[in-house]
Amino acid sequence: MSITSLAPERAAPVAGPSLPHPRGHLTRWLFAYLRGEPSGPRPAVAAIGDAGRDEDLQLALYCCYELHYRGFCDVDPDLEWDPEVLALRRGLEYCFVDALLRLRGVATITPEATEARLLAMANDGGGPSLSEFVRAAADVEQVRELCILRSAYQLKEADPHTWAIPRLHGEAKAATVEIQADEYGGGHAPSMHGALFADTMRELGLDPTYGAYLDLIPGVTLATTNLISLFGLHRRWRGALVGHLALFEMTSVGPMGRYADALARLGVGPAGRRFYEVHVEADQEHQHIALERMVRGLLRSEPQLAADVVFGAAALTEVEGRFTEHVLGRWRAGRSSLLAGQRLEGVRALSA
Ligand SMILES: [Fe+2]
Ligand SMILES: [Fe+2]
């Protein structure tokens, strides 16, 4: 007997966006399967050279994960735990994680040295700064592009990290809950950070509907969100999820302030800037809660997770570095950072 046969009626799949357009054989199979159309046998996921940028792999993974968030209006919600979908997802995840592990390696590190390592990573400017470019030189179309790219994460901001809460205990759990409560506006819906980001999109003339721009978002951007979902949905990666959230909070204040400055320079009003200004204030505190209570609390109770904590932070640095390289590279070449073939004219049409 299936679980759904226990329900009086099959749940109607009404919420969420519709599936995007496929980008290759993996998404072609996945979308046909999810729609209940003839799809043939599930494709094997072969090793992919650059899994972090692969359009087909990252979109397939993103859509597998979306079944655990808001789903798609044209997909039966019961497919969230479908064995075929989970088997495909597993293959995609192996490719993605393997690429990250090969790029960074997993450091051997003691729990005592972990906080210092995270601080060093937070203070390491590394490559070029996207926020510095945006503050100094971005035009309003580039800011709109950036919002479209970031919408894949920001419209469900905090949700992937919330998966950590049932996997932690004691001080680490309490600290995570304190951070996440702020991310959800302290229980006030209009103040949820995802809602504030929707306000910014509206102020910029964009469509804040969840999933509205998925077809414009390249794999290198989807990878930044997929990384958190991957860590969040696997208890095995709880240390990496904590490391990711810690570095996230520790590297937020400066960039968020610069984005707020950019919007002010471009004449965007307070409602559009509030998302960024709220982060400047909140993350001033969150960075300390994250490092001194969440990470410290976790490693006191589970010291064997130190290397995973550092891996999670390193993986964040890696995917964000690639994202920045992509956006600045396109802009410096006078091109759009949106998915190849999609221009801002397409964005205007969508938001009209
Ligand atoms: Fe936030
Ligand atoms: Fe925060």
Side-chain angles (χ1 to χ4, degrees):
M1 178 185 290
S2 78
I3 288 176
T4 45
S5 69
L6 297 172
E9 279 179 21
R10 202 170 179 81
V14 290
S18 57
L19 284 166
H21 293 98
R23 298 183 192 175
H25 74 290
L26 297 171
T27 41
R28 262 196 303 278
W29 178 86
L30 176 65
F31 298 169
Y33 185 84
L34 290 175
R35 288 194 179 104
E37 297 166 353
S39 52
R42 171 169 45 83
V45 184
I48 291 173
D50 195 354
R53 283 196 181 91
D54 189 86
E55 295 299 340
D56 197 27
L57 182 146
Q58 291 297 335
L59 183 65
L61 194 50
Y62 186 87
C63 292
C64 286
Y65 288 144
E66 273 306 302
L67 301 177
H68 300 288
Y69 295 106
R70 297 204 202 174
F72 298 96
C73 64
D74 43 356
V75 176
D76 184 335
D78 196 36
L79 289 172
E80 178 180 357
W81 299 105
D82 182 273
E84 284 291 293
V85 176
L86 293 182
L88 178 77
R89 198 186 93 184
R90 193 74 173 153
L92 303 169
E93 288 173 332
Y94 273 129
C95 274
F96 188 28
V97 172
D98 188 53
L100 289 167
L101 290 173
R102 267 188 286 118
L103 284 164
R104 287 279 169 183
V106 178
T108 304
I109 191 162
T110 63
E112 297 71 33
T114 300
E115 287 182 38
R117 179 73 67 87
L118 291 175
L119 281 167
M121 292 167 85
N123 293 328
D124 176 13
S129 165
L130 182 57
S131 61
E132 277 168 16
F133 177 90
V134 171
R135 176 171 64 177
D139 61 30
V140 73
E141 294 303 334
Q142 289 170 325
V143 169
R144 294 170 86 226
E145 271 188 33
L146 202 51
C147 282
I148 288 170
L149 296 176
R150 289 298 195 191
S151 67
Y153 173 71
Q154 306 291 8
L155 290 176
K156 60 171 175 285
E157 183 170 331
D159 290 347
H161 289 118
T162 299
W163 299 116
I165 293 172
R167 280 119 192 226
L168 303 175
H169 62 276
E171 185 65 5
K173 187 193 209 62
T176 308
V177 168
E178 186 171 346
I179 292 170
Q180 296 301 91
D182 284 347
E183 303 295 337
Y184 293 119
H188 182 240
S191 301
M192 293 193 294
H193 291 185
L196 297 180
F197 191 76
D199 292 341
T200 296
M201 292 186 79
R202 250 180 242 106
E203 290 293 308
L204 289 166
L206 297 171
D207 181 355
T209 306
Y210 190 89
Y213 294 116
L214 189 46
D215 277 326
L216 300 182
I217 301 178
V220 71
T221 304
L222 297 177
T224 63
T225 299
N226 285 340
L227 181 71
I228 329 176
S229 297
L230 184 148
F231 289 158
L233 286 166
H234 291 270
R235 180 178 165 277
R236 177 258 176 275
W237 287 117
R238 65 196 178 284
L241 184 63
V242 163
H244 184 288
L245 178 56
L247 194 64
F248 222 44
E249 299 293 349
M250 293 161 70
T251 52
S252 165
V253 172
M256 287 295 184
R258 290 190 277 276
Y259 291 130
D261 290 348
L263 290 176
R265 171 175 62 77
L266 293 167
V268 176
R273 301 198 306 265
R274 184 144 178 261
F275 170 83
Y276 300 97
E277 290 166 354
V278 159
H279 278 91
V280 171
E281 200 177 317
D283 292 342
Q284 203 72 255
E285 267 191 63
H286 288 176
Q287 58 188 330
H288 294 291
I289 299 170
L291 187 67
E292 295 153 25
R293 292 179 51 208
M294 184 179 69
V295 170
R296 198 175 294 173
L298 175 72
L299 295 184
R300 273 196 185 130
S301 60
E302 299 194 86
Q304 79 283 3
L305 295 181
D308 282 357
V309 170
V310 172
F311 170 62
L316 167 64
T317 304
E318 182 64 37
V319 296
E320 285 296 325
R322 286 165 156 246
F323 171 78
T324 295
E325 187 184 293
H326 165 79
V327 174
L328 290 181
R330 288 288 190 89
W331 286 354
R332 284 179 177 139
R335 298 170 60 200
S336 164
S337 62
L338 302 177
L339 194 58
Q342 306 286 352
R343 301 293 305 171
L344 278 176
E345 295 75 51
V347 176
R348 287 199 191 91
L350 279 171
S351 61

